[in-house]
Amino acid sequence: MKPTLIISVLMAILVTGCASTQTADTSTPSTTTNESSKHTPYQGTIMAIDMSASTVTVQTASGTMTMTINADTKFRGGSKTLGDYKVGDHVSGMFMMDDSGKMMAVLVRPYSSKG
């Protein structure tokens, strides 16, 4: 099995497990004191991109989430900015909650269910 396929499958399992605790934009993912656990995985389809507000809205299995893109957001898979994506693209990555409760995209990358 390809390493990327294994990682994608593990991410899908993790996101599915988190689906029961996260329902929509206002939900707060559970975190522990472990630094890496502050980053929560997501996977879904881009429903909206607001370049002026630097946000992307993604429909996941557990609901709709709107994440802010900032200078710390990393892009992978050949994309370098939010402008490299369009509505309907399948994406996955990581987000975290900031001090005000907003979802901040940490990582955005193309997602394909094909191996």
Side-chain angles (χ1 to χ4, degrees), residues 8-69:
S8 295
V9 170
L10 291 174
M11 290 289 292
I13 291 169
L14 185 57
V15 168
T16 303
C18 293
S20 63
T21 59
Q22 180 183 346
T23 57
D25 282 332
T26 57
S27 65
T28 303
S30 61
T31 59
T32 62
T33 57
N34 184 335
E35 185 68 28
S36 65
S37 67
K38 292 181 182 180
H39 293 180
T40 304
Y42 69 89
Q43 173 188 322
T45 303
I46 295 178
M47 303 305 290
I49 297 173
D50 187 337
M51 296 301 282
S52 62
S54 295
T55 61
V56 60
T57 302
V58 177
Q59 179 67 47
T60 69
S62 60
T64 303
M65 55 191 294
T66 299
M67 298 176 288
T68 300
I69 305 296

Side-chain angles (χ1 to χ4, degrees), residues 78-97:
S79 59
K80 299 192 185 320
T81 69
L82 184 57
D84 293 330
Y85 292 93
K86 64 185 182 316
V87 171
D89 285 347
H90 299 283
V91 294
S92 65
M94 304 289 274
F95 74 92
M96 62 182 280
M97 303 297 281

